[in-house]
Every structure is written in structure tokens, then in C-alpha cells.
Amino acid sequence: SGVHSASLGVPQAPAAPRRPAGARLEAFLGALQAEEAPTSVTAAFSWDASGLSPIAGRSRLPRVLACGLACVDLAQELESFPEPDAKVRATGTSWLCGGNAANTACALAQLGTPVALLSKVGNDAMGDLIIQGLRHDGVDDRLVARANAGASAFTSVLVDRATGSRTCVNTPMAEELSVKEVESLLVGEREGGDDCAPSGLLGPEVQLVHLDCRHPGAAIRLAEAALDIPGMRISIDVERPREGLDELLPRCTAIFCSEAFPKAFTGVSGLPGALAALLDRFPRA
């Protein structure tokens, strides 16, 4: 908040984070009431990137190219979901880098698979945070574009401990990854990008393209190009019906979906029948 920024002597968000003077930080934390004191300072909000692990993702050619969402999540645990106009206290709060494609890329990198992420984030402090998180987990981030204007995608996640449910409120980016940007990368060009970025988007080392239905125009163009490569596998992670699915799903060799998606997409009742209808419609999977 503005009050906290003034107390610490640092710019207020969304300005890039800057480390406050030691004396001001000590005085600020000491002034907080015990119940308001932060229980931890997450590694995500690091003022100094020198402590991050080596960027292993850039040293190996990617076998998997993930394309989709990279965002920041604010996850708050609640004893129960609040009533309208209620003011409640969270039992736990975490700042996390999220997004289906980004999460998948980070998991693969941690398991030892060379993976690159094709996405777009804002040219803001949250975008810097996302890039740091990808690099920390060993994901090749050189294909993550920065938007000319606007904030990075952001999601508030409310976790209801009483029921185990979660409620997500997403603020999407105004600027999507474009078809033109993908086409430039497919021929090995990147306007204003990293000179060390890989030449060509789908090199001979890439064995799998993984999509999450975000940036639909860019995803469709990427899937079209992947189909032209013999033996290339295309997988998709889909939670609910979204724009572009009618064009993406026929191109996929594997479909990872939520339990509710088959019925929502096909209109067939019962999970076995809905899955059968989905596979009948998209036999490549």
C-alpha cells in the first residue's frame, strides 16, 4: 500500500521492487502488531537475482515446447468461503508464479526434461517475477515476449479449507501473444528480442508441443506448423470450453482435461460416454 511504501522508502507497486534500507525495514517490521507480522518472505519476491540457481534451461536445446499462460497467483487459504460484504482473515497467503503452461514447463524442467516456454508477460514488476521464477526452475524463457503496455496476467485464488474448493478470479493480459510473433519465431526471427534466442521455433530436438488453450491464435498457428513435422506430438491441457478449441483439438495427439470438460464440450451425460464421444470426434488423440 501507499502507507507501507512511504514507511519503507520504496516506490509503490507496480513499480519494480527495490530493497529498502536495512534500518527502515527493521523499524517497519518492529512496528507491526504480532498478529499482522508476515510469517515468511517468499522467495518469489527477491530483490537480488544473484542467488538464483544457474539457468540450466538455456544450456540445453528443448525437447518440449510449452505454449500458453504464465501469470502471478495470489493464493489465500480461508477457514470457509466468506459471505457477501464479509471481512475475513486468511489462514495462509502465498505469492506464486502460475499458469497452466508455465506450471507444466516448470514441473518438466525439475524432472530433468529440457523445456522452453512460449508466452507473453507484461513489461512490469510481475513480469520480472514470472521470468525469475521460470529461470529458477530451469525453464528456457527466451521465447517469453514482453508486452509493450499493460500488466501481466494475475489471478487471485481463494482456497476454502472447509470444503476443499478453490475460487479463482483472473485478470487477463490485454495484449495476447500474436500470430505474427509466432510466425517470426518459426523462421528464426525475433524483432527486438534476445540475440541468443533459439533459431527457429520447432528445431529437430523438439519432440512435443504442449498447449493450454491460452493465446488461441498463436497456439493454432504453432499447432499447424507442428503438424507438418513427421512424428511431432501435440498435447493440450483443457479445463473448460474456450476460444479456438474447435481448431486446436483436431490437431492434438493427447488431450489432458478436467472431469467436467468432456460433458461440457460434447453435451453427453456421464463421464464414460462423454469421453467416448470426445475421442470419436478427435481420433488423433
Side-chain angles (χ1 to χ4, degrees), residues 176-191:
E176 294 270 2
L177 185 69
S178 70
V179 174
K180 182 180 178 181
E181 286 171 308
V182 172
E183 289 177 340
S184 296
L185 289 166
L186 285 168
V187 296
E189 299 175 357
R190 184 162 189 179
E191 298 178 6

Side-chain angles (χ1 to χ4, degrees), residues 61-78:
L61 294 175
R63 291 173 55 196
V64 176
L65 176 62
C67 174
L69 180 64
C71 67
V72 172
D73 291 346
L74 170 59
Q76 294 183 290
E77 291 188 11
L78 308 173

Side-chain angles (χ1 to χ4, degrees), residues 6 11-12 16 30 33 58 63 75 111 123 127 138 153 199 209 213 251 260 269 274:
Q12 185 177 356
Q33 296 295 327
R58 292 191 174 196
R63 291 173 55 196
L111 291 169
N123 193 17
S199 177
V209 170
C213 312
R251 295 171 165 85
S269 298

